[in-house]
Amino acid sequence: MTYQAASNRYETMPYRRCGRSGLKLPALSLGMWHNFGDNKPFDNSRAMVLRAFDLGITHFDLANNYGPKPGAAEETMGRLLKTDLAVYRDELIISSKAGWEMWPGPYGDLGSRKYLIASCDQSLKRMGLDYVDIFYSHRPDPDTPIEETMGALDSLVRQGKALYVGISSYSAEETAIAAKVLKELGTPCLIHQPSFSMFDRWIENGLTDVLRQEQIGSIAFCPLAQGLLTDRYLNGIPADSRAADVQNHFLTSDKVELRLAQIKALNEIALARGQSLAQMSLAWALQTVTSVIIGASRVAQIEENVGAVSNLAFNADELKQIELILQQV
């Protein structure tokens, strides 16, 4: 069945200017880190992407290694771009990254010019694109001069392979240096992608100040703390949950137990606001960042998360209560 985007897709989603640029991002972006690889049904991946777009999500966040297998998420997006989304390409922001291990040997990891440019070329082929809208250095490389890494990003823009560039998981000091180098090259740093949530607030220790000073946008990954900030664990650890999977190192049962009292207390505030815990957690993060990246395994999760935009404001009492709860660990 031929896909036709919803006619009202731009009516409720807020779009926010990203740093000092002409680009606006939706308050919520869809991340394809999990559940879009070749180990998942394509029909479900398709349903999630198309529903996200119908709800006003125009930004889709990928990386070279997202899968499994590495590259599979980009292949999924390429398939969708070829069919359902071909006529909507100019309404989409598609981002990719390189910085984690992608292929064997010394040239398939970290931040060398060799790796970043080769990786971008591969990503474009997998997605069938002439350019990506944003290309990131996925993590800092301690051994490669930052001038080389930023120079590679600048080259990708000048070659027409990326419209904008960004960095991910750089410290405040590294971000300041990267921004200075890019500014001197004439390709400003558009955006920084850090982890950030109520339970992961490292960016408040200097990075947000640098981003403000340099007028760089920000987009948070893991704003729901790998599912902790949802109703998933309010009554224990479900057998089919991420925390119950012993192979998952990002979210363990110990972390759930440590945070359970906080999760329940935060949920009470969310209910009083007329929101789910996930919706309130996303709204809270959006006070600090330009956009948040949501993940999903089914359409209903996307629909719930998008509901966060109906109540993004907090009063002083709510913020005080949340802060007291977060200080309890």
Side-chain angles (χ1 to χ4, degrees):
M1 184 176 178
T2 303
Y3 168 70
Q4 186 170 352
S7 60
N8 64 344
R9 60 190 177 276
Y10 295 118
E11 290 182 6
T12 57
M13 177 66 66
Y15 298 89
R16 299 163 145 208
R17 189 165 301 282
C18 189
R20 186 175 178 269
S21 78
L23 188 69
K24 292 182 178 180
L25 293 179
L28 275 66
S29 301
L30 182 63
M32 299 178 69
W33 180 16
H34 300 295
N35 300 312
F36 293 88
D38 57 13
N39 65 331
K40 300 294 183 180
F42 174 75
D43 286 348
N44 188 53
S45 298
R46 176 179 182 265
M48 289 193 290
V49 169
L50 299 187
R51 183 59 177 148
F53 185 47
D54 282 342
L55 292 170
I57 294 178
T58 53
H59 178 211
F60 298 90
D61 181 80
L62 297 107
N64 59 353
N65 63 336
Y66 290 176
K69 62 184 185 301
E74 289 182 330
E75 290 170 356
T76 295
M77 177 54 79
R79 189 171 167 185
L80 290 168
L81 284 165
K82 189 175 182 180
T83 53
D84 300 284
L85 296 174
V87 298
Y88 302 106
R89 170 63 183 105
D90 292 334
E91 296 183 42
L92 305 176
I93 300 296
I94 297 171
S95 60
S96 193
K97 318 175 195 73
W100 291 92
E101 184 179 3
M102 184 60 186
W103 62 83
Y107 316 121
D109 198 359
L110 291 166
S112 72
R113 179 181 182 86
K114 168 75 171 172
Y115 174 47
L116 263 61
I117 290 180
S119 183
C120 184
D121 286 342
Q122 289 186 14
S123 293
L124 293 175
K125 288 177 183 176
R126 281 191 287 270
M127 292 189 283
L129 293 173
D130 296 323
Y131 67 91
V132 289
D133 297 278
I134 306 170
F135 194 80
Y136 292 86
S137 167
H138 205 163
R139 61 169 171 166
D141 180 348
D143 300 319
T144 297
I146 202 165
E147 291 81 4
E148 178 176 339
T149 303
M150 296 305 108
L153 295 180
D154 172 66
S155 292
L156 290 171
V157 172
R158 295 182 186 280
Q159 292 168 9
K161 296 174 182 177
L163 300 186
Y164 301 92
V165 296
I167 56 179
S168 178
S169 300
Y170 279 53
S171 69
E173 182 181 6
E174 290 163 337
T175 298
I177 297 169
K180 181 176 184 293
V181 172
L182 283 170
K183 188 179 295 183
E184 290 171 350
L185 290 169
T187 298
C189 182
L190 173 82
I191 192 167
H192 188 298
Q193 184 175 135
S195 61
F196 179 62
S197 72
M198 287 184 181
F199 293 161
D200 180 13
R201 300 172 67 175
W202 72 273
I203 69 172
E204 295 173 355
N205 297 321
L207 180 59
T208 52
D209 291 335
V210 172
L211 298 179
R212 195 176 301 111
Q213 290 162 10
E214 299 293 337
Q215 296 182 285
I216 296 171
S218 55
I219 181 167
F221 70 88
C222 295
L224 300 179
Q226 292 282 325
L228 271 177
L229 289 165
T230 70
D231 61 9
R232 185 79 160 129
Y233 300 102
L234 286 173
N235 300 306
I237 301 174
D240 62 345
S241 67
R242 191 175 293 177
D245 182 358
V246 294
Q247 311 241 328
N248 188 303
H249 305 299
F250 294 102
L251 181 60
T252 62
S253 58
D254 291 346
K255 290 181 181 178
V256 176
E257 296 295 337
L258 179 67
R259 296 284 191 178
L260 189 55
Q262 287 177 304
I263 294 169
K264 290 183 176 181
L266 290 168
N267 187 60
E268 291 301 314
I269 299 175
L271 292 176
R273 285 169 52 83
Q275 291 183 308
S276 68
L277 176 55
Q279 290 169 340
M280 184 183 78
S281 299
L282 295 173
W284 182 90
L286 283 166
Q287 295 180 107
T288 300
V289 297
T290 312
S291 179
V292 292
I293 297 173
I294 59 169
S297 59
R298 58 188 186 277
V299 167
Q301 290 175 322
I302 297 173
E303 293 172 338
E304 179 193 345
N305 288 343
V306 168
V309 304
S310 65
N311 187 9
L312 294 176
F314 290 81
N315 62 46
D317 187 53
E318 287 171 334
L319 291 174
K320 182 179 179 180
Q321 288 182 60
I322 290 170
E323 200 60 40
L324 288 172
I325 293 168
L326 295 179
Q327 290 172 7
Q328 287 173 7
V329 171

